[in-house]
Amino acid sequence: MAEDADPARKSIGARRNPASADAILEAAEAVLVEAGYAGFSIEAVARRARAGKPTIYRWWPSKAALLLEVYQRQKRVDVPDTGRLEEDLVGFLNNLFAHWRETSSGSVFRSLIAEAQSDDAASAALADYALGRRSHTGQMVERARARGEIGADIDAALVADLIASFAWKHLLTNRLDEDEATIRKAVHYVMRGIAVPGR
């Protein structure tokens, strides 16, 4: 897609004007609600925000990057800290599935994943986002390691990837109504591979 990325636009780190950035993000959310993912465009956001396309591209180098920030603004998923990793992971997945199911975020993220299969800009934006989420989810695993609940040699990032792959599979196959017993079983299988014996 011609508008999705411009290799010359590299000033992603340019300092943002907070008021202008908020106006653009609010306009992007509004366009997304009104036109859906298929009708979302940088031109439409620029018109709605009364901002120039160069300003938008200075802060978001592609349509996918802008959509991912909109997605992150919408995302309200509690990350439990119960003192037990198994309960934390089950609670996190339950919260994530409910959020995807009950808001437009699930549809937006599903579309972004699909677009990333054929669009380099979307793929790069999604990879950057996934790296950050991997670290965020991995914090639950790191807490468990500090408690001695899992082995010291366990790769927290890899465990986070296993949890994410379970979640993304359910998102992409529209199975977000999975019952807690199945979620708990999947987490239990992961725990059997990483828990310290006797814990």
Side-chain angles (χ1 to χ4, degrees):
M1 286 186 272
E3 72 153 9
D4 283 358
D6 182 339
R9 293 180 174 114
K10 296 296 185 183
S11 54
I12 187 171
R15 185 181 299 277
R16 295 185 189 179
N17 176 301
S20 297
D22 283 345
I24 290 167
L25 288 167
E26 287 171 9
E29 289 187 44
V31 170
L32 192 59
V33 168
E34 292 175 6
Y37 184 85
F40 186 93
S41 69
I42 296 296
E43 283 89 348
V45 173
R47 282 195 303 270
R48 182 138 194 155
R50 297 182 179 178
K53 283 176 61 179
T55 297
I56 296 176
Y57 277 120
R58 186 163 60 248
W59 297 333
W60 298 277
S62 68
K63 167 183 162 181
L66 177 57
L67 277 169
L68 273 170
E69 186 154 347
V70 170
Y71 171 76
Q72 289 178 273
R73 274 169 57 106
Q74 294 176 341
K75 194 172 183 183
R76 300 288 184 272
V77 179
D78 290 334
V79 178
D81 186 3
T82 66
R84 291 190 60 228
L85 180 58
E86 187 164 347
E87 294 302 320
D88 288 351
L89 293 174
V90 169
F92 169 70
L93 286 170
N94 274 327
N95 293 341
L96 180 59
F97 282 18
H99 175 74
W100 279 342
R101 189 173 61 243
E102 295 166 6
T103 73
S104 63
S105 293
S107 176
V108 172
F109 198 50
R110 187 184 300 119
S111 296
L112 280 165
I113 293 172
E115 185 167 338
Q117 308 314 300
S118 58
D119 183 274
D120 289 344
S123 179
L126 186 63
D128 286 344
Y129 171 78
L131 188 63
R133 293 308 307 171
R134 187 188 204 201
S135 174
H136 186 74
T137 306
Q139 289 175 9
M140 288 185 281
V141 184
E142 295 288 0
R143 290 198 302 260
R145 193 206 318 274
R147 293 192 297 265
E149 190 179 350
I150 63 174
D153 61 338
I154 297 300
D155 186 333
L158 185 54
V159 175
D161 281 349
L162 292 172
I163 297 301
S165 64
F166 178 80
W168 286 26
K169 176 207 168 191
H170 280 71
L171 174 67
L172 291 173
T173 55
N174 201 26
R175 292 174 51 213
L176 296 175
D177 57 351
E178 191 68 89
D179 61 86
E180 183 172 326
T182 300
I183 293 174
R184 189 170 290 279
K185 184 185 294 185
V187 171
H188 181 67
Y189 289 158
V190 172
M191 290 299 302
R192 284 176 63 179
I194 65 175
V196 171
R199 291 293 300 235

